[in-house]
Each structure stands twice: as C-alpha cells, then as structure tokens.
C-alpha cells in the first residue's frame, strides 16, 4: 500500500500504525507518482489531505496544490488503486481559504473508495458533513496507545527535577504543536487566576506563528508558576513533561480526535478535554476517572475542579488501554482496506470507469 504521509516528526501515530501493518506482512511505501506508475499497489491511504489548506500561501499556490492532489487521486483510481481516507478532522483548522476548501472536499469525497473513522461519532459526523460518504465502506478503527514498556517508564520526581519543577507542586501540562484553535492563551489566562500557589503550568510545544508565540508569552508574563518551552521538543522532553504532569489540559476550541490525549493516557496521566467531537466517546472508552470533559471555553473554575478531580479521584495505576493495541488496530485496518478494494473493483465492473 501507498501512504500519504508515511511519517511525521510530531506524530507517532503514523509510525506505530505502519510499523504494525508491516509486522502483519503488508508492504508500505510513501506515495509518489513514480511508485504509482510502477504498479502493484492495492491501496493509497490518505491522512490529513487538508494540510495544504492550513498553510498561509497565495490562493494560486493553494489551488495548484489541491488540483495536483485531486488529479493524483483520479490517476490512482484509474489504475485500480483503492483510495482510503482516515478522518482525523472534518476540515482545515485555520480556515484560510473557505471557498477553495468547500470545492476541495466536494471533489475529494467523490473520489474515495473507503474511509476509516477513529470513533463511531467520527464516522457519523463525516457522513453528516459529506453525505456522499454513505455510499462507501466506513470502518471504525481507533487510535492506538503509545504506552512504553514498564522498564522505560520515567520517575515523576526525576522528571520534575529535569524540568526545574519542585516535585511537591501540582503540575498542569499542555503539550503539542500550538495552533490558534488549541486555545493555549485561554489556558494560560485561566491558570493565572488560580489561587493555588503550589500549582505549576507547563506549556511545551512549537507555536505555529510568531504572533501566536507572542500572545502566549504575553498571557504568561509576570507569573513565575507558568513555564514556557515554545519550541519543538525531543522525544525525551515529551516523556519528561508527561511524567511530571498531574493533569494534561487540552483546551481546544474545536476537536474531533486527539492523539495528544491518547498519548497522555498512555503515560497514565488524566486528561481534561472539551465536550466536543469524539471526546465523550473517549471518556466512555477509557473511563470518567481518566478523562474529564468541560463545556464552552475553559475557565479558572474548570481548571480548579479538574485539578481537584485529578488529585482525589480513585484510579488504577494504569489507564485501561489494552483494547487500543497496535496488532488489533493493524488487523482492523487491513480489514478496512479489503472493504475499500472490493468496493473499488465492483464500481469499476459496473461502470468501466474510475
């Protein structure tokens, strides 16, 4: 199978998924026109096809990128390749080019042979937004966990020491790429109004724009309890931040799925997430003692209650993630590919066209 993309620096989901597929005997390569022309491919798997719409580029450049992607999808299908989209989002986050985006989704969703949703709610939402998708196979395959082996788990006290945080503090952590829709300045302002002097907020990740970095810095200015690391983190630094956290807070203004939430749960850290998208389904899957929801924009009261919940709630030493094992996810993904391949073949037999 061909994959777009095969890997991303800040996204362990892809390497975990495709590594598990390779272990199941699949041949996986990054998509290119040359590879497609070489033949022998059954599936082209798309993730985040809307990424080009998030870039702050001229309309002509964006239009050209979208046209090339749609042309490539059409060419692949003419060669008998089934095109499958994993529904991470229902649209671009930045909304830079709304009319181009409407046209792009209209055309792409008519050129798919199958979709993979990460939750049942995600499948319903995708079909509601893009009604054409009711005509193609739609599998539900969840995000897998990122749990480390027991011997690789970090000690909280050591992690706090490396981060310059006293181990007796209540640590709230935001982790990941900082983009406008993620609401990080709102989190910082809500935290600053907390009366708890022993609380610490760690904000770690690379802002998507210099302006957003300045906004986060301005929100944090003057409060020594707020620690900012506004850059891309190494894998070791990510694990240190998770190990130090008492609560991972993700104040997103919009969300469908969150690999960061699953990453935090994989480190056995409780998470605070908005009651949007598939987050209620995540709570139901993992448990209310591990996943807490808030409504509307995050405020100081939400954060105060979540800290108290994180401290007082009884929970097992490990979040229950066995159902998110990568071998099981690889098997379900291969099943989704088979459905899409069958759909592609039947459609070609009926119409003789792409």
């Amino acid at each position: 199978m061909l994959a777009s993309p095969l890997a991303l620096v800040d996204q362990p989901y892809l390497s975990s998924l495709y590594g598990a597929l390779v272990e199941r005997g699949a041949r996986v390569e990054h998509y290119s026109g040359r590879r497609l022309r070489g033949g022998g491919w059954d599936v082209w798997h798309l993730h985040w096809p809307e990424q080009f719409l998030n870039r702050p580029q001229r309309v002509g450049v964006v239009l050209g990128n979208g046209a090339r992607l749609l042309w490539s999808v059409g060419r692949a299908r003419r060669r008998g390749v089934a095109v499958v989209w994993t529904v991470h989002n229902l649209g671009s986050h930045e909304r830079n080019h709304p009319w181009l985006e409407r046209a792009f989704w209209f055309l792409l969703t008519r050129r798919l042979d199958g979709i993979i949703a990460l939750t049942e709610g995600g499948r319903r939402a995708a079909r509601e937004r893009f009604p054409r998708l009711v005509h193609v196979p739609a599998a539900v395959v969840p995000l897998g966990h990122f749990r480390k082996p027991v011997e690789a788990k970090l000690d909280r006290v050591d992690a706090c020491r490396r981060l310059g945080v006293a181990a007796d503090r209540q640590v709230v952590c935001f982790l990941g790429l900082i983009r406008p829709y993620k609401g990080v300045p709102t989190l910082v302002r809500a935290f600053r109004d907390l009366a708890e002097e022993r609380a610490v907020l760690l904000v770690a990740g690379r802002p998507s724009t210099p302006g957003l970095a300045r906004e986060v810095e301005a929100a944090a200015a003057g409060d020594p309890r707020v620690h900012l690391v506004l850059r891309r983190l190494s894998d070791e630094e990510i694990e240190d931040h998770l190990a130090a956290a008492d609560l991972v807070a993700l104040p997103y203004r919009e969300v469908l799925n969150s690999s960061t939430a699953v990453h935090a749960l994989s480190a056995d850290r409780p998470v605070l997430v908005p009651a949007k998208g598939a987050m209620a389904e995540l709570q139901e899957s993992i448990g209310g003692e591990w996943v807490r929801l808030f409504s509307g924009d995050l405020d100081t009261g939400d954060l105060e209650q979540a800290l108290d919940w994180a401290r007082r709630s009884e929970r097992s030493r490990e979040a229950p993630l066995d159902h998110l094992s990568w071998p099981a996810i690889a098997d379900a993904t291969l099943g989704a590919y088979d459905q899409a391949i069958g759909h592609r073949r039947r459609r070609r037999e009926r119409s003789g066209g792409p």
Side-chain angles (χ1 to χ4, degrees), residues 82-121:
V83 179
V84 176
W85 169 42
T86 286
V87 186
H88 296 279
N89 304 307
L90 295 175
S92 69
H93 290 299
E94 270 67 30
R95 307 286 196 271
N96 290 324
H97 306 283
W99 69 271
L100 274 178
E101 179 157 356
R102 286 193 297 272
F104 171 73
W105 288 117
F106 177 86
L107 294 170
L108 178 66
T109 54
R110 282 155 176 74
R111 289 164 170 78
L112 297 173
D113 301 294
I115 64 170
I116 296 174
L118 303 175
T119 62
E120 182 58 47

Side-chain angles (χ1 to χ4, degrees), residues 57-321:
Q57 296 173 317
R58 297 190 308 276
V59 171
V61 174
V62 176
L63 181 61
N65 289 336
R68 279 190 292 274
L69 175 56
L70 292 168
W71 181 83
S72 297
V73 166
R75 180 175 61 169
R77 298 179 79 239
R78 286 191 294 274
R79 290 174 175 267
V81 177
V83 179
V84 176
W85 169 42
T86 286
V87 186
H88 296 279
N89 304 307
L90 295 175
S92 69
H93 290 299
E94 270 67 30
R95 307 286 196 271
N96 290 324
H97 306 283
W99 69 271
L100 274 178
E101 179 157 356
R102 286 193 297 272
F104 171 73
W105 288 117
F106 177 86
L107 294 170
L108 178 66
T109 54
R110 282 155 176 74
R111 289 164 170 78
L112 297 173
D113 301 294
I115 64 170
I116 296 174
L118 303 175
T119 62
E120 182 58 47
R123 175 163 63 180
R124 286 196 303 270
R127 284 175 159 174
E128 287 171 6
R129 177 152 188 185
F130 307 116
R132 178 71 179 179
L133 296 181
V134 300
H135 301 295
V136 302
V140 175
V141 182
L143 281 166
H145 68 67
F146 306 105
R147 176 160 281 157
K148 304 292 184 184
V150 173
E151 61 273 14
K153 290 191 175 182
L154 301 179
D155 179 78
R156 182 179 184 276
V157 173
D158 290 341
C160 286
R161 176 179 50 78
R162 284 189 290 270
L163 297 175
V165 175
D168 64 346
R169 297 296 192 254
Q170 289 183 272
V171 178
V172 181
C173 179
F174 171 91
L175 198 64
L177 180 63
I178 299 172
R179 296 169 67 179
Y181 78 91
K182 293 188 176 182
V184 174
T186 299
L187 170 63
V188 175
R189 288 189 286 268
F191 177 86
R192 290 193 59 167
D193 288 336
L194 277 177
E196 176 56 69
E197 290 298 324
R198 294 174 59 253
V200 169
L201 174 62
L202 306 178
V203 174
R206 179 175 60 84
S208 59
T209 66
L212 184 54
R214 290 191 294 270
E215 185 180 355
V216 174
E217 289 168 342
D223 192 333
R225 300 176 301 166
V226 182
H227 298 225
L228 303 180
V229 184
L230 302 184
R231 56 173 172 77
R232 176 174 284 160
L233 273 63
S234 67
D235 290 345
E236 292 78 12
E237 288 174 312
I238 291 171
E239 297 307 320
D240 272 344
H241 279 78
L242 288 173
D246 295 295
L247 173 71
V248 174
L250 304 175
Y252 302 164
R253 292 198 294 267
E254 60 178 65
V255 64
L256 181 59
N257 307 287
S258 174
S259 61
T260 302
V262 175
H263 199 160
L265 292 165
S266 301
D268 304 311
R269 292 299 180 260
V271 298
L272 175 65
V273 292
K276 297 179 180 179
M279 296 301 97
E281 201 168 332
L282 179 67
Q283 184 187 57
E284 182 179 355
S285 169
I286 308 301
E289 71 276 23
W290 288 100
V291 180
R292 183 178 178 88
L293 306 177
F294 69 91
S295 298
D297 291 334
L298 182 74
D299 61 25
T300 302
D302 294 323
L303 205 51
E304 188 172 41
Q305 292 168 22
L307 267 173
D308 186 65
W309 162 82
R311 182 175 63 249
R312 295 178 183 274
S313 292
E314 292 186 8
R315 56 180 65 87
S316 57
R317 289 177 59 86
E318 293 188 343
L321 304 178

Side-chain angles (χ1 to χ4, degrees), residues 314-340:
E314 292 186 8
R315 56 180 65 87
S316 57
R317 289 177 59 86
E318 293 188 343
L321 304 178
D322 289 348
H323 61 296
L324 302 181
S325 71
W326 285 105
I329 285 166
D331 290 340
T333 301
L334 291 172
Y337 291 165
D338 286 341
Q339 292 179 22

